[in-house]
PDB file of all heavy atoms in Angstrom:
ATOM      1  N   THR A   9      -4.336   6.599  -1.081  1.00  0.00           N
ATOM      2  CA  THR A   9      -5.475   6.896  -1.915  1.00  0.00           C
ATOM      3  C   THR A   9      -6.527   7.549  -1.052  1.00  0.00           C
ATOM      4  O   THR A   9      -6.451   7.532   0.188  1.00  0.00           O
ATOM      5  CB  THR A   9      -6.072   5.591  -2.514  1.00  0.00           C
ATOM      6  OG1 THR A   9      -6.594   4.823  -1.454  1.00  0.00           O
ATOM      7  CG2 THR A   9      -5.052   4.807  -3.287  1.00  0.00           C
ATOM      8  N   ARG A  31     -18.648   1.409  27.599  1.00  0.00           N
ATOM      9  CA  ARG A  31     -19.483   0.389  26.991  1.00  0.00           C
ATOM     10  C   ARG A  31     -20.013   0.838  25.620  1.00  0.00           C
ATOM     11  O   ARG A  31     -21.190   1.271  25.492  1.00  0.00           O
ATOM     12  CB  ARG A  31     -20.657   0.069  27.930  1.00  0.00           C
ATOM     13  CG  ARG A  31     -21.215  -1.328  27.682  1.00  0.00           C
ATOM     14  CD  ARG A  31     -22.023  -1.870  28.811  1.00  0.00           C
ATOM     15  NE  ARG A  31     -22.987  -2.864  28.330  1.00  0.00           N
ATOM     16  CZ  ARG A  31     -22.636  -4.037  27.796  1.00  0.00           C
ATOM     17  NH1 ARG A  31     -21.380  -4.363  27.705  1.00  0.00           N
ATOM     18  NH2 ARG A  31     -23.563  -4.859  27.385  1.00  0.00           N
ATOM     19  N   LEU A  48     -14.769  -2.039   8.866  1.00  0.00           N
ATOM     20  CA  LEU A  48     -13.713  -1.172   9.413  1.00  0.00           C
ATOM     21  C   LEU A  48     -13.416  -1.498  10.857  1.00  0.00           C
ATOM     22  O   LEU A  48     -12.230  -1.529  11.289  1.00  0.00           O
ATOM     23  CB  LEU A  48     -14.092   0.307   9.301  1.00  0.00           C
ATOM     24  CG  LEU A  48     -14.116   0.856   7.864  1.00  0.00           C
ATOM     25  CD1 LEU A  48     -14.910   2.191   7.810  1.00  0.00           C
ATOM     26  CD2 LEU A  48     -12.720   1.049   7.305  1.00  0.00           C
ATOM     27  N   PRO A  59     -14.135  -5.581  19.946  1.00  0.00           N
ATOM     28  CA  PRO A  59     -14.333  -5.599  21.383  1.00  0.00           C
ATOM     29  C   PRO A  59     -15.642  -4.955  21.881  1.00  0.00           C
ATOM     30  O   PRO A  59     -15.689  -4.458  23.009  1.00  0.00           O
ATOM     31  CB  PRO A  59     -13.129  -4.797  21.868  1.00  0.00           C
ATOM     32  CG  PRO A  59     -12.854  -3.811  20.795  1.00  0.00           C
ATOM     33  CD  PRO A  59     -13.240  -4.523  19.496  1.00  0.00           C
ATOM     34  N   VAL A  65     -31.826  -1.979  15.797  1.00  0.00           N
ATOM     35  CA  VAL A  65     -33.188  -1.584  16.197  1.00  0.00           C
ATOM     36  C   VAL A  65     -34.130  -2.096  15.104  1.00  0.00           C
ATOM     37  O   VAL A  65     -34.144  -1.614  13.975  1.00  0.00           O
ATOM     38  CB  VAL A  65     -33.311  -0.047  16.311  1.00  0.00           C
ATOM     39  CG1 VAL A  65     -34.722   0.354  16.752  1.00  0.00           C
ATOM     40  CG2 VAL A  65     -32.303   0.484  17.300  1.00  0.00           C
ATOM     41  N   GLY A  68     -39.406  -4.413  12.714  1.00  0.00           N
ATOM     42  CA  GLY A  68     -40.403  -5.382  12.315  1.00  0.00           C
ATOM     43  C   GLY A  68     -40.811  -5.247  10.905  1.00  0.00           C
ATOM     44  O   GLY A  68     -41.689  -5.944  10.415  1.00  0.00           O
ATOM     45  N   VAL A  74     -32.337  -8.748   4.351  1.00  0.00           N
ATOM     46  CA  VAL A  74     -31.414  -7.921   5.116  1.00  0.00           C
ATOM     47  C   VAL A  74     -31.166  -8.531   6.502  1.00  0.00           C
ATOM     48  O   VAL A  74     -30.049  -8.540   7.027  1.00  0.00           O
ATOM     49  CB  VAL A  74     -31.879  -6.467   5.193  1.00  0.00           C
ATOM     50  CG1 VAL A  74     -30.991  -5.626   6.099  1.00  0.00           C
ATOM     51  CG2 VAL A  74     -31.946  -5.869   3.797  1.00  0.00           C
ATOM     52  N   GLY A  86     -18.335 -13.349  15.001  1.00  0.00           N
ATOM     53  CA  GLY A  86     -18.355 -13.764  16.390  1.00  0.00           C
ATOM     54  C   GLY A  86     -18.619 -12.629  17.341  1.00  0.00           C
ATOM     55  O   GLY A  86     -18.149 -12.632  18.486  1.00  0.00           O
ATOM     56  N   PRO A 107     -50.233   6.675  12.720  1.00  0.00           N
ATOM     57  CA  PRO A 107     -51.275   6.413  11.712  1.00  0.00           C
ATOM     58  C   PRO A 107     -50.741   6.215  10.314  1.00  0.00           C
ATOM     59  O   PRO A 107     -51.354   5.499   9.520  1.00  0.00           O
ATOM     60  CB  PRO A 107     -52.154   7.664  11.813  1.00  0.00           C
ATOM     61  CG  PRO A 107     -51.475   8.675  12.702  1.00  0.00           C
ATOM     62  CD  PRO A 107     -50.410   7.908  13.480  1.00  0.00           C
ATOM     63  N   SER A 110     -45.493   4.534   9.412  1.00  0.00           N
ATOM     64  CA  SER A 110     -44.032   4.655   9.489  1.00  0.00           C
ATOM     65  C   SER A 110     -43.584   4.416  10.935  1.00  0.00           C
ATOM     66  O   SER A 110     -44.171   4.968  11.877  1.00  0.00           O
ATOM     67  CB  SER A 110     -43.597   6.056   9.060  1.00  0.00           C
ATOM     68  OG  SER A 110     -42.272   6.243   9.469  1.00  0.00           O
ATOM     69  N   ARG A 111     -42.552   3.565  11.096  1.00  0.00           N
ATOM     70  CA  ARG A 111     -42.052   3.373  12.442  1.00  0.00           C
ATOM     71  C   ARG A 111     -40.747   4.138  12.668  1.00  0.00           C
ATOM     72  O   ARG A 111     -40.001   3.821  13.621  1.00  0.00           O
ATOM     73  CB  ARG A 111     -41.854   1.873  12.666  1.00  0.00           C
ATOM     74  CG  ARG A 111     -43.215   1.155  12.803  1.00  0.00           C
ATOM     75  CD  ARG A 111     -43.077  -0.331  13.094  1.00  0.00           C
ATOM     76  NE  ARG A 111     -44.419  -0.909  13.219  1.00  0.00           N
ATOM     77  CZ  ARG A 111     -44.678  -2.225  13.194  1.00  0.00           C
ATOM     78  NH1 ARG A 111     -43.653  -3.069  13.072  1.00  0.00           N
ATOM     79  NH2 ARG A 111     -45.874  -2.663  13.285  1.00  0.00           N
ATOM     80  N   LEU A 119     -34.842   2.639  20.728  1.00  0.00           N
ATOM     81  CA  LEU A 119     -33.367   2.755  20.790  1.00  0.00           C
ATOM     82  C   LEU A 119     -32.908   3.270  22.151  1.00  0.00           C
ATOM     83  O   LEU A 119     -32.003   2.693  22.777  1.00  0.00           O
ATOM     84  CB  LEU A 119     -32.894   3.738  19.689  1.00  0.00           C
ATOM     85  CG  LEU A 119     -31.441   4.198  19.761  1.00  0.00           C
ATOM     86  CD1 LEU A 119     -30.487   3.075  19.342  1.00  0.00           C
ATOM     87  CD2 LEU A 119     -31.199   5.424  18.906  1.00  0.00           C
ATOM     88  N   GLY A 127     -26.842   0.059  29.327  1.00  0.00           N
ATOM     89  CA  GLY A 127     -25.841   0.971  29.836  1.00  0.00           C
ATOM     90  C   GLY A 127     -24.787   1.365  28.779  1.00  0.00           C
ATOM     91  O   GLY A 127     -23.648   1.639  29.125  1.00  0.00           O
ATOM     92  N   LEU A 131     -22.387   5.086  20.972  1.00  0.00           N
ATOM     93  CA  LEU A 131     -23.067   4.339  19.953  1.00  0.00           C
ATOM     94  C   LEU A 131     -22.502   4.724  18.574  1.00  0.00           C
ATOM     95  O   LEU A 131     -22.590   5.862  18.187  1.00  0.00           O
ATOM     96  CB  LEU A 131     -24.561   4.667  19.943  1.00  0.00           C
ATOM     97  CG  LEU A 131     -25.398   4.151  21.136  1.00  0.00           C
ATOM     98  CD1 LEU A 131     -25.234   5.066  22.343  1.00  0.00           C
ATOM     99  CD2 LEU A 131     -26.847   4.081  20.745  1.00  0.00           C
ATOM    100  N   ARG A 137     -22.131  12.574   6.434  1.00  0.00           N
ATOM    101  CA  ARG A 137     -22.544  14.010   6.356  1.00  0.00           C
ATOM    102  C   ARG A 137     -23.110  14.377   4.994  1.00  0.00           C
ATOM    103  O   ARG A 137     -23.772  15.382   4.859  1.00  0.00           O
ATOM    104  CB  ARG A 137     -21.359  14.884   6.680  1.00  0.00           C
ATOM    105  CG  ARG A 137     -20.995  14.918   8.152  1.00  0.00           C
ATOM    106  CD  ARG A 137     -19.691  15.684   8.328  1.00  0.00           C
ATOM    107  NE  ARG A 137     -19.316  15.838   9.691  1.00  0.00           N
ATOM    108  CZ  ARG A 137     -18.062  15.975  10.101  1.00  0.00           C
ATOM    109  NH1 ARG A 137     -17.086  15.967   9.203  1.00  0.00           N
ATOM    110  NH2 ARG A 137     -17.783  16.151  11.337  1.00  0.00           N
ATOM    111  N   SER A 150     -20.869  13.115  18.660  1.00  0.00           N
ATOM    112  CA  SER A 150     -21.991  13.939  18.864  1.00  0.00           C
ATOM    113  C   SER A 150     -22.570  13.699  20.277  1.00  0.00           C
ATOM    114  O   SER A 150     -23.075  12.606  20.545  1.00  0.00           O
ATOM    115  CB  SER A 150     -23.058  13.601  17.805  1.00  0.00           C
ATOM    116  OG  SER A 150     -24.238  14.380  17.999  1.00  0.00           O
ATOM    117  N   TRP A 158     -30.198  15.802  20.509  1.00  0.00           N
ATOM    118  CA  TRP A 158     -29.142  16.557  19.855  1.00  0.00           C
ATOM    119  C   TRP A 158     -29.446  18.035  19.942  1.00  0.00           C
ATOM    120  O   TRP A 158     -30.585  18.419  19.613  1.00  0.00           O
ATOM    121  CB  TRP A 158     -29.056  16.102  18.404  1.00  0.00           C
ATOM    122  CG  TRP A 158     -27.986  16.715  17.564  1.00  0.00           C
ATOM    123  CD1 TRP A 158     -26.653  16.663  17.803  1.00  0.00           C
ATOM    124  CD2 TRP A 158     -28.138  17.423  16.300  1.00  0.00           C
ATOM    125  NE1 TRP A 158     -25.971  17.283  16.739  1.00  0.00           N
ATOM    126  CE2 TRP A 158     -26.863  17.737  15.837  1.00  0.00           C
ATOM    127  CE3 TRP A 158     -29.283  17.794  15.570  1.00  0.00           C
ATOM    128  CZ2 TRP A 158     -26.651  18.442  14.632  1.00  0.00           C
ATOM    129  CZ3 TRP A 158     -29.046  18.477  14.358  1.00  0.00           C
ATOM    130  CH2 TRP A 158     -27.771  18.813  13.922  1.00  0.00           C
ATOM    131  N   LYS A 161     -27.431  23.817  18.344  1.00  0.00           N
ATOM    132  CA  LYS A 161     -26.884  25.143  18.627  1.00  0.00           C
ATOM    133  C   LYS A 161     -25.824  25.101  19.726  1.00  0.00           C
ATOM    134  O   LYS A 161     -25.165  26.072  20.021  1.00  0.00           O
ATOM    135  CB  LYS A 161     -28.036  26.070  19.140  1.00  0.00           C
ATOM    136  CG  LYS A 161     -28.832  26.629  18.010  1.00  0.00           C
ATOM    137  CD  LYS A 161     -29.937  27.507  18.594  1.00  0.00           C
ATOM    138  CE  LYS A 161     -29.990  28.847  17.929  1.00  0.00           C
ATOM    139  NZ  LYS A 161     -31.151  29.623  18.358  1.00  0.00           N
ATOM    140  N   ARG A 164     -20.403  20.403  21.129  1.00  0.00           N
ATOM    141  CA  ARG A 164     -19.059  20.557  21.669  1.00  0.00           C
ATOM    142  C   ARG A 164     -18.101  20.963  20.544  1.00  0.00           C
ATOM    143  O   ARG A 164     -18.178  20.381  19.456  1.00  0.00           O
ATOM    144  CB  ARG A 164     -18.546  19.227  22.214  1.00  0.00           C
ATOM    145  CG  ARG A 164     -19.048  18.942  23.598  1.00  0.00           C
ATOM    146  CD  ARG A 164     -18.462  17.641  24.134  1.00  0.00           C
ATOM    147  NE  ARG A 164     -19.093  17.367  25.452  1.00  0.00           N
ATOM    148  CZ  ARG A 164     -18.976  16.193  26.071  1.00  0.00           C
ATOM    149  NH1 ARG A 164     -18.298  15.202  25.541  1.00  0.00           N
ATOM    150  NH2 ARG A 164     -19.545  16.033  27.249  1.00  0.00           N
ATOM    151  N   ASP A 193     -17.816   6.897  -2.153  1.00  0.00           N
ATOM    152  CA  ASP A 193     -16.720   6.310  -1.371  1.00  0.00           C
ATOM    153  C   ASP A 193     -17.147   4.928  -0.821  1.00  0.00           C
ATOM    154  O   ASP A 193     -16.378   3.971  -0.816  1.00  0.00           O
ATOM    155  CB  ASP A 193     -16.311   7.195  -0.199  1.00  0.00           C
ATOM    156  CG  ASP A 193     -15.702   8.510  -0.680  1.00  0.00           C
ATOM    157  OD1 ASP A 193     -14.971   8.510  -1.668  1.00  0.00           O
ATOM    158  OD2 ASP A 193     -15.929   9.535   0.000  1.00  0.00           O
ATOM    159  N   ILE A 198     -16.643  -0.883  -1.021  1.00  0.00           N
ATOM    160  CA  ILE A 198     -17.266  -2.235  -1.153  1.00  0.00           C
ATOM    161  C   ILE A 198     -16.643  -2.974  -2.349  1.00  0.00           C
ATOM    162  O   ILE A 198     -16.364  -4.172  -2.254  1.00  0.00           O
ATOM    163  CB  ILE A 198     -18.788  -2.083  -1.316  1.00  0.00           C
ATOM    164  CG1 ILE A 198     -19.428  -1.675   0.034  1.00  0.00           C
ATOM    165  CG2 ILE A 198     -19.444  -3.373  -1.820  1.00  0.00           C
ATOM    166  CD1 ILE A 198     -20.874  -1.241  -0.045  1.00  0.00           C
ATOM    167  N   ASP A 234     -55.994  -0.050  -4.680  1.00  0.00           N
ATOM    168  CA  ASP A 234     -56.966  -0.046  -5.807  1.00  0.00           C
ATOM    169  C   ASP A 234     -56.491   0.873  -6.896  1.00  0.00           C
ATOM    170  O   ASP A 234     -56.108   2.028  -6.625  1.00  0.00           O
ATOM    171  CB  ASP A 234     -58.357   0.490  -5.257  1.00  0.00           C
ATOM    172  CG  ASP A 234     -59.029  -0.600  -4.457  1.00  0.00           C
ATOM    173  OD1 ASP A 234     -58.559  -1.748  -4.504  1.00  0.00           O
ATOM    174  OD2 ASP A 234     -59.994  -0.267  -3.773  1.00  0.00           O
ATOM    175  N   GLU A 241     -40.208  -4.438 -13.402  1.00  0.00           N
ATOM    176  CA  GLU A 241     -39.140  -3.502 -13.781  1.00  0.00           C
ATOM    177  C   GLU A 241     -37.790  -4.009 -13.280  1.00  0.00           C
ATOM    178  O   GLU A 241     -37.760  -4.683 -12.206  1.00  0.00           O
ATOM    179  CB  GLU A 241     -39.410  -2.142 -13.105  1.00  0.00           C
ATOM    180  CG  GLU A 241     -40.650  -1.438 -13.593  1.00  0.00           C
ATOM    181  CD  GLU A 241     -40.385  -0.478 -14.745  1.00  0.00           C
ATOM    182  OE1 GLU A 241     -39.243  -0.452 -15.226  1.00  0.00           O
ATOM    183  OE2 GLU A 241     -41.319   0.222 -15.133  1.00  0.00           O
ATOM    184  N   GLY A 280     -33.262  11.411  -1.614  1.00  0.00           N
ATOM    185  CA  GLY A 280     -34.300  11.985  -2.481  1.00  0.00           C
ATOM    186  C   GLY A 280     -34.876  10.999  -3.428  1.00  0.00           C
ATOM    187  O   GLY A 280     -36.065  11.041  -3.760  1.00  0.00           O
TER     188      GLY A 280
END
Side-chain angles (χ1 to χ4, degrees):
Chain A
T9 65
R31 203 162 156 66
L48 290 165
V65 182
V74 175
S110 165
R111 289 183 179 165
L119 166 75
L131 292 80
R137 285 173 176 153
S150 178
W158 181 58
K161 279 178 130 174
R164 278 183 186 167
D193 294 324
I198 288 169
D234 286 348
E241 296 266 6

